[in-house]
Amino acid sequence: MTIDQFRFDIPFGAQIQRDGSVRFRFWAPSEKSVALAIEGSDMPIPMTALSDGWFEVITRDAHAGSLYRYRLDDGFLVPDPASRFQPQDVHGPSEVIDPLAYRWQNANWRGRPWEETVLYETHIGAFSREANYDGVRQRLEYLAHLGITAIELMPLADFAGKRNWGYDGVLPFAPDSAYGTPEQLKQLIDDAHGHGLMIFLDVVYNHFGPSGNYLGRYAKSFFNEKHHTPWGASIGFDGAGKQAVRAFFISNALYWLEEYRFDGLRFDAVHAIVDDTKPHILDDIAHEVRERIGARREVHLVLENDANQARPLERTTEHKPRFYTAQWDDDFHHTAHVIATGETQGYYGDYRQDTIADLCRALTEGFVYQGEPSEHRDGAKRGEASTHLPPTAFVNFLQNHDQIGNRAMGERLGRLISEEAGRAMLALLILSPPIPLLFMGEEWGSKRPFLFFCDFDGELADAVREGRRHEFRHFPKFQDPAAREHIPDPNLETTFSNSRLDWRARFDARGRRRLELTRELIGLRQKWIVPLLSHMHQGGIRENRIGNAIWLRWEAADGRQLHIAANLSSRPSDELEWTLPGERLYASSAAVPIGSPLGVLPPWSVSVTLALPENRS
């Protein structure tokens, strides 16, 4: 493998040429002229106007480390929309980066099969006291020992201020300087690969943040006023400038996968991407990634899609992902949350009628809503049939950044349910076939909140703070305006610092018990469940259900069967005549002899068996 394979030639922005010069390309269809302004130089360099709104210049007056902006017709200076780094934040100059400056130590890394994935979602700033890439790097051995196989980073695209969840990014090619340099990010990825860990990145292609996005000033056709989103006019994937816009985001996906060698991408809220073009931008991205990278190494593409569309998850005749590898399954989370907490407000109300049946459907079929009307969405039908998809087309979780942080006080699940309930739900998550995801600290049952935080100022800070509190006005606890005043201000530094993990908690008695259980469950998954997954080409079935007691079964193509029986309530089950075949892999309750009826299952208990073909009952 040549080192050039670790550089992606972005058709936009600053690109160091082989002769040492730097090519700058800028798409500004709303401008008549553009000049390159290099910091330290008194004279901007005029850029040549090309066709279709493009401007270009190649110069030896710039080099790696040079700071620059583009000067518009009216003299206004803007950062490069394809900037590789913003050392002075989103409003400052961009920096020319040499992609080949970092020397990769694990250059032969080819990734890991999707079936082996156990995801660990983390926020770089809140993960450690260091609040940077090195803070994660120092914990890689710990995560590998825990059994994690893939770290998923919340978005890194440069955002305004020093702290943010990452979904307010405005410069998609520039990893935010709050966490370190591009080389330090590459070292984190490189070291992760050295520990056998994949590393994924969350990307946001549905909107730009509210501060630092200058695209509308010089490239009005980057947006399409025909379509409106919660953030304003939609990105113009199907508008007048669609060729450049589509190339921008396709290049972004390839850039993270090739130049930074991420093992996968998680695409945020794709239901909010508006595109009337055929093929859809998501199809184009998936096609380009599969064509360019798929044969060289394992790359995994994961969606967040509230529309519950099955088509992007379709498999080929060889049972490989045609477009996207998997989707975050909110339906599983919502049903599990209602069962464990009893909460039914907001979107949880869609799962209150027969929550146990909904959970069984989520575990065996993927989506709960496969075309049924959603009360929360005013009766609109939601979803498509997903029974034909394999379990690995879904990523399940009990907690993630949204489901914790979108609560007014950012409470984690451990503050809402008993330890026994938490242990049972964790076993169900990790030992069922869908891909499991843990949120940072969940492995020891962290009770630190994860609050919504950002770093805006002035009128924008006021609007974000009041908007956040306004969101919760319909919740009984916050109907009183005085109660809403206690919702933490997202802009305060303490809101961020209170969200940072307390690593000492893993050493207390409860933390040790939970951490030991998590490690045990992941070990069982890797030893017994993972070998089945590449042979599971469709969902499972619900064998039986009595009250809150369930019996689920999945079958591999070679006849091996995985059985899970569980009592998901705080009361003992009724007498159960069910007999789970095969060898016991795990039991949270007192042992029940194999081949005998389960009898009465204790509260919050889970039992898992594996039956070989000759042991089928």
Side-chain angles (χ1 to χ4, degrees), residues 216-238:
R217 185 166 188 146
Y218 53 80
K220 292 182 174 60
S221 51
F222 204 97
F223 302 93
N224 189 347
E225 296 289 345
K226 287 171 50 181
H227 306 307
H228 292 278
T229 74
W231 309 281
S234 72
I235 295 173
F237 292 113
D238 55 358

Side-chain angles (χ1 to χ4, degrees), residues 59-70:
T59 178
R60 290 188 175 276
D61 292 336
H63 51 78
S66 293
L67 300 178
Y68 69 98
R69 299 184 226 204
Y70 297 115

Side-chain angles (χ1 to χ4, degrees), residues 100-138:
L100 304 182
Y102 181 79
R103 297 296 189 234
W104 292 88
Q105 301 303 304
N106 295 285
N108 293 321
W109 171 261
R110 295 292 183 274
R112 298 182 65 158
W114 176 245
E115 290 79 12
E116 297 178 1
T117 303
V118 176
L119 282 161
Y120 187 91
E121 187 191 20
T122 189
H123 181 278
I124 294 287
F127 179 75
S128 69
R129 187 175 298 276
E130 294 81 5
N132 58 22
Y133 300 128
D134 282 345
V136 180
R137 201 164 58 83
Q138 292 167 18

